[in-house]
Amino acid sequence: MAESAETDWVSRFADEVISEAERRAPGKPIVCASGLSPSGPIHLGNLREVMTPHLVADEIRRRGLDCVHLLSWDDYDRFRRVPAGVDPSWAEHIGKPLTSVPAPPGSVHANWAEHFKAPMTEALKELGVDYRGISQTEQYTSGAYREQILRAVRERAAIDGVLSRYRSKQVEDYFPYKPYCDLCERDLTTVTAYDDETTELAYTCECGFGETVRLAEHDHGKLVWKVDWPMRWAYEGVIFEPSGVDHHSPGSAWIVGGQIVGEVFGGRQPIGPMYAFVGITGMAKMSSSKGDVPTPADALEIMEAPVLRWLYARRKPAQSFKIAFDQEIQRLYDEWDALGRKVAAGQAQPAELAAHRRAVGTAAGPLQATPHPIPYRTLASVLDITTGHAGQTLRILSDLDAVGSLDDARPRLDKAQSWVDDHLPADQRTRVRGTPDQELLDSLDPGARESLRLLADGLDDWSIEGLTTLVYGVPKVQAGLPADAKATPELKAAQRAFFALLYKLLVGRETGPRLPTLLMAVGADRVRKLVGT
């Protein structure tokens, strides 16, 4: 068996999964699994359900072993509630399979499930996630699980025995299979009789319909969740599958499933970690039922795929983390770029190096990268100032870092543009003044006027480094200090006052983008005009 010398959590799980697969199913492809319900927007917390086994499966493939990542779309689950923002009349479909519910108004998709699967499918493609998708609607309605359903019904007493260990109340006539009504398509049904020998099953529905079917031929219903999940573990031979914190309380699907899978289906529970929640900066815990939740597609509008992958790769599954849609994304990108420099210089720690490698590519090859990456905060400032004007943006980036074409700065440039358009608060937008603030200029004392003259005279070094030295150096010159003088409290106060004056003269408020970037964006001639020199 190929061993990995890396010390990150992915490698350790890969080692465990490979060893477990050799014990359970030697010579067969290793099976990792995820499950997603397209009952509403599939959010960034749900993405952890996919990214955790993806990263492990990808590491196994990197070692040259055959590994499949199964992604079960739980599209045969019942429609439980109408999310916020959807016509309340959709309540008439509650109880139907998700694939039998019409898509939300205006959707181009065939049904509710397909509507919410589509953006996730596209996001997973952009993220480089290689998986085999399984529609549970297709599995159940094709009869793929028929033998497993019959076994569960035969062993209903054993299943009930497991469940009763966690119940506070006695349940009579427990039945693990729920038919969908053949008339109204909903699962508001009650099994009234079952014959083990003939498999004849009688049910009635709240809509008034009732019928008798042969379960050995019936493909319009499904096992209840706490039986369905362990059935699939055995059916697919799953070796590795993570589960959320909510699945680990007493009596939960993971806990009882671990007993049912062996006692009823002759299989074994997968190994896999419990994963923590993923939050959003400035938002509470995500909930698909509320409708308005950030999805992977939303995140990929404002950040490159490797950066989003990195967020999931660098934290152990049990560690919670947040994804930034506010200005924290600029700090995140600073961290990402700093890591890239450490990797390039051979200074990254093993775990850092492993997380970076998993972020920038997969066993199939590298993900799309920006050829000429400019700091995200710089791009955001430039795009804010230019309002996205391509010619002005190229002029600034060319002066800034010799960018020859905007395509060289993509896709990061486009991600930053989306962030500016959709997430930068209106009161933080930068609007360069069209004319000088003459009233303010006339009110300045001689010292302030001298600082502006020093600035204007020093604009010849038209580079970020030169402009940075200039704006920090003007207060030093006025204080009679050398350019490399260490900052004192008095000097810092003078610099803050100088910066505030420049911001007021250039953009009409006391704060704004980093001054060197702002000066470069405005241009030397216009800066001189606005500062009155």
Side-chain angles (χ1 to χ4, degrees):
M1 178 182 72
E3 290 285 346
S4 172
E6 293 171 348
T7 59
D8 68 316
W9 67 265
V10 179
S11 292
R12 290 194 292 273
F13 272 121
D15 292 340
E16 292 180 30
V17 172
I18 292 169
S19 296
E20 189 67 20
E22 288 177 345
R23 284 192 292 272
R24 295 191 192 184
K28 293 184 179 180
I30 299 171
V31 180
C32 300
S34 306
L36 292 174
S37 176
S39 58
I42 300 173
H43 57 62
L44 287 159
N46 303 137
L47 181 60
R48 201 165 204 178
E49 166 76 24
V50 179
M51 288 303 299
T52 303
H54 160 68
L55 292 166
V56 173
D58 189 67
E59 171 60 24
I60 293 171
R61 294 188 195 111
R62 289 176 191 260
R63 301 186 192 182
L65 299 175
D66 192 0
C67 183
V68 61
H69 178 186
L70 300 179
L71 174 51
S72 280
W73 297 103
D74 292 320
D75 52 12
Y76 207 48
D77 286 1
R78 75 190 306 267
F79 182 53
R80 296 181 178 277
R81 63 182 68 85
V82 182
V86 174
D87 189 330
S89 69
W90 255 251
E92 69 183 74
H93 301 293
I94 289 175
K96 293 181 181 179
L98 294 170
T99 42
S100 295
V101 177
S107 173
V108 299
H109 297 285
N111 56 58
W112 188 272
E114 291 302 317
H115 174 81
F116 290 106
K117 281 169 62 176
M120 186 63 170
T121 299
E122 287 301 309
L124 292 178
K125 181 179 179 182
E126 185 172 344
L127 285 165
V129 177
D130 181 13
Y131 65 91
R132 182 195 302 167
I134 298 175
S135 164
Q136 291 303 316
T137 296
E138 293 177 6
Q139 291 292 94
Y140 271 104
T141 58
S142 69
Y145 296 146
R146 189 170 292 154
E147 289 303 316
Q148 286 69 31
I149 292 170
L150 292 172
R151 177 184 285 195
V153 171
R154 283 197 305 271
E155 300 294 333
R156 59 190 180 276
I159 295 172
D160 189 38
V162 172
L163 297 175
S164 67
R165 298 168 195 166
Y166 303 93
R167 290 196 198 114
S168 57
K169 295 182 180 179
Q170 186 67 29
V171 174
E172 295 183 8
D173 300 322
Y174 171 79
F175 206 76
Y177 179 80
K178 190 76 166 173
Y180 281 112
C181 176
D182 200 48
L183 180 63
C184 74
E185 294 190 87
R186 296 178 295 173
D187 69 346
L188 308 178
T189 57
T190 301
V191 175
T192 56
Y194 182 73
D195 186 291
D196 284 290
E197 186 172 339
T198 64
T199 76
E200 285 190 350
L201 179 151
Y203 73 85
T204 58
C205 179
E206 289 183 14
C207 74
F209 181 77
E211 66 174 338
T212 299
V213 298
R214 287 189 70 242
L215 188 56
E217 301 169 351
H218 189 254
D219 299 320
H220 195 51
K222 72 184 294 289
L223 293 171
V224 296
W225 170 237
K226 290 183 180 180
V227 182
D228 173 89
W229 199 10
M231 178 274 290
R232 286 193 245 163
W233 291 338
Y235 183 86
E236 304 288 359
V238 178
I239 303 294
F240 179 83
E241 182 170 5
S243 53
V245 173
D246 51 334
H247 286 308
H248 285 256
S249 58
S252 67
W254 178 266
I255 301 300
V256 300
Q259 299 166 56
I260 290 172
V261 67
E263 294 182 28
V264 175
F265 297 108
R268 296 180 65 181
Q269 188 174 36
I271 62 173
M274 176 179 71
Y275 59 85
F277 290 114
V278 176
I280 301 296
T281 300
M283 292 181 63
K285 175 185 166 185
M286 288 176 283
S287 170
S288 292
S289 63
K290 295 181 180 178
D292 187 20
V293 292
T295 66
D298 294 328
L300 289 169
E301 286 289 321
I302 64 169
M303 67 178 71
E304 296 158 275
V307 178
L308 186 56
R309 286 176 62 90
W310 179 57
L311 291 175
Y312 290 86
R314 70 172 176 164
R315 294 280 184 260
K316 296 176 183 177
Q319 293 177 305
S320 61
F321 65 90
K322 291 186 176 182
I323 297 177
F325 277 72
D326 59 7
Q327 288 187 316
E328 276 292 297
I329 193 173
Q330 299 180 4
R331 185 190 60 77
L332 169 68
Y333 257 91
D334 288 344
E335 287 185 45
W336 170 251
D337 289 342
L339 175 60
R341 291 190 292 271
K342 286 177 69 175
V343 170
Q347 298 171 345
Q349 296 298 312
E352 292 178 316
L353 183 62
H356 185 270
R357 183 170 66 95
R358 301 188 198 291
V360 300
T362 70
L367 272 70
Q368 183 184 21
T370 299
H372 196 140
I374 303 293
Y376 194 96
R377 66 176 63 246
T378 300
L379 289 176
S381 295
V382 171
L383 292 165
D384 176 32
I385 296 164
T386 65
T387 63
H389 186 280
Q392 291 288 353
T393 299
L394 180 57
R395 174 187 66 79
I396 297 166
L397 296 184
S398 176
D399 288 342
L400 184 71
D401 201 17
V403 173
S405 165
L406 291 184
D407 287 340
D408 293 339
R410 292 188 167 104
R412 184 179 292 195
L413 178 70
D414 296 329
K415 308 298 184 181
Q417 181 71 69
S418 293
W419 183 80
V420 169
D421 291 344
D422 299 332
H423 299 282
L424 182 62
D427 62 357
Q428 295 178 26
R429 293 293 180 95
T430 302
R431 295 292 178 263
V432 179
R433 291 183 59 88
T435 58
D437 186 342
Q438 201 59 51
E439 183 178 351
L440 176 58
L441 289 169
D442 291 343
S443 71
L444 297 179
D445 60 38
R449 292 175 187 272
E450 173 67 8
S451 69
L452 296 178
R453 186 190 65 76
L454 289 170
L455 174 82
D457 289 347
L459 290 176
D460 294 333
D461 187 352
W462 200 245
S463 66
I464 284 293
E465 294 78 8
L467 292 174
T468 301
T469 300
L470 175 63
V471 296
Y472 280 93
V474 165
K476 295 180 183 180
V477 172
Q478 287 191 285
L481 297 172
D484 60 352
K486 291 185 177 180
T488 63
E490 295 78 14
L491 180 57
K492 287 182 178 179
Q495 288 172 332
R496 284 195 296 271
F498 179 53
F499 294 169
L501 173 60
L502 288 180
Y503 281 125
K504 283 188 280 188
L505 289 170
L506 296 175
V507 298
R509 52 189 174 90
E510 293 191 356
T511 60
R514 292 185 69 247
L515 269 172
T517 305
L518 177 60
L519 294 174
M520 184 161 280
V522 174
D525 290 342
R526 193 174 178 191
V527 169
R528 290 189 178 98
K529 175 184 176 184
L530 292 175
V531 302
T533 60

